[in-house]
Amino acid sequence: MNLLISTGAAEVILFLASILAGLPLPLLAVQLLWLNLVTNGIQDVALAFEGGEPGAMKRTPRRPSEKIFNPLMIKQTLVASSIMGGIVFSLWYWLNNYTQMDETHARDLILLLMVFMQNFHAFNCRSERVSAFKVPLKRNIILVFGILAAQGIHILSMQIPFMQNILRIEPVTFNEWLYVLALAVPMIIGMEIFKLLNKK
């Protein structure tokens, strides 16, 4: 749920910031649909197979009256969506104001960045408190394959003419791919810092 909500909130931040800055819409309707139902949907389903955390039974149980959106989830959602929305908007702003890149190709990079950040954040969402680097991958192999599948499907779609026409996308260069991947890394670093501070 955290992944789905934080991604949706990040999209709202991205669109609102773009409108306020007088920029074109960063994603087309079909690209948003692709992002939410396909690339994001795979991870959401895979997270349902996450195993229980060691030591979870030793924690104080949640009060029956406590809402699903407890303070920790609200804070995590705000932090995650702010990181994701802020970085993606910054790239969109830079591409539109400081490069000669055409709008269609700029959207390719924005969409690819969102997919990368979703995949990183899926690892963050495996635990509210434990570092993503301390949660064994073997605890949810389905998620690992789901993330690889989501990323692979998107990259493959950028190469197939039929999908290019539907999604209005085109291939990116290897250097652009690496650049976008690097921009997505703060998604996991930021949430690691949040978990560390929250634990203290």
Side-chain angles (χ1 to χ4, degrees):
M1 183 179 291
N2 193 323
L3 176 64
L4 186 63
I5 296 174
S6 55
T7 300
E11 291 167 359
V12 172
I13 291 173
L14 172 61
F15 273 78
L16 285 178
S18 298
I19 293 172
L20 293 174
L23 300 176
L25 292 180
L27 294 171
L28 302 177
V30 68
Q31 293 171 340
L32 270 177
L33 191 64
W34 172 261
L35 195 63
N36 292 324
L37 295 183
V38 181
T39 58
N40 196 18
I42 294 175
Q43 297 99 318
D44 284 330
V45 173
L47 279 170
F49 294 90
E50 189 67 33
E53 289 184 20
M57 296 302 293
K58 295 180 181 179
R59 296 179 193 149
T60 303
R62 294 176 60 158
R63 297 188 304 273
S65 60
E66 186 174 339
K67 298 179 180 179
I68 295 178
F69 292 100
N70 60 10
L72 178 57
M73 177 176 277
I74 292 173
K75 287 188 290 185
Q76 283 184 326
T77 301
L78 289 174
V79 172
S81 60
S82 297
I83 294 172
M84 191 181 300
I87 291 175
V88 178
F89 170 72
S90 297
L91 176 60
W92 182 240
Y93 185 88
W94 181 74
L95 292 174
N96 277 276
N97 290 286
Y98 298 101
T99 72
Q100 301 299 317
M101 186 179 294
D102 68 87
E103 194 174 298
T104 299
H105 193 59
R107 284 198 180 99
D108 293 332
L109 300 184
I110 292 299
L111 186 59
L112 181 61
L113 178 57
M114 285 294 292
V115 173
F116 272 132
M117 296 191 94
Q118 284 178 350
N119 287 333
F120 279 127
H121 192 40
F123 286 110
N124 292 328
C125 293
R126 298 185 69 195
S127 173
E128 288 185 323
R129 298 173 175 83
V130 181
S131 165
F133 298 103
K134 293 182 179 180
V135 181
L137 292 178
K138 63 181 180 181
R139 202 174 82 186
N140 193 349
I141 295 298
I142 294 177
L143 177 63
V144 176
F145 283 112
I147 289 173
L148 292 175
Q151 192 67 53
I153 288 171
H154 184 69
I155 292 175
L156 190 62
S157 297
M158 300 175 82
Q159 312 297 325
I160 302 175
F162 174 72
M163 294 303 296
Q164 289 175 349
N165 291 331
I166 292 178
L167 298 175
R168 302 294 189 270
I169 56 177
E170 57 188 31
V172 300
T173 67
F174 184 67
N175 285 339
E176 288 174 333
W177 190 88
L178 289 178
Y179 178 75
V180 171
L181 177 61
L183 285 177
V185 172
M187 185 72 248
I188 200 163
I189 294 176
M191 294 309 295
E192 286 295 303
I193 294 173
F194 170 81
K195 288 179 181 179
L196 183 63
L197 295 176
N198 186 67
K199 186 181 294 184
K200 290 183 177 180

